[in-house]
Amino acid sequence: MTDPAEITILLRQWQSGDDSAGRDLWHLAYTTLRQLARGVATGPERADLESAHLVDAAWEKLCKGVDKTIVDRSHFKGLVARAMRQVIIEHAR
């Protein structure tokens, strides 16, 4: 991701209830999340699920279900990756 300090600050602000920090975090991390999505969404059964759609759906899922107790950037990326896998499973069904 881009600047680690900026991401950490945005994570903490988002956890404190600042929704605009969540949007800023989304924009800052989007490119890295697309790369993560390309790594998660591999294989023939996932070929029709584009990385942009996967990132969007995972972010939506994360925002609805996360209790915002994100420890750090690694934890954030892990939560997003898990949300992506859940989206892939739902798509396959």
Side-chain angles (χ1 to χ4, degrees), residues 38-58:
R38 282 191 287 278
V40 171
T42 58
E45 69 280 358
R46 301 173 193 155
D48 61 333
L49 193 59
E50 292 186 28
S51 62
H53 171 73
L54 182 55
V55 170
D56 293 343

Side-chain angles (χ1 to χ4, degrees), residues 67-82:
D67 60 5
K68 295 186 181 173
T69 54
I70 302 170
V71 178
D72 56 19
R73 289 180 307 116
S74 297
H75 186 215
F76 172 70
K77 283 178 68 175
L79 289 172
V80 172
R82 181 172 40 186

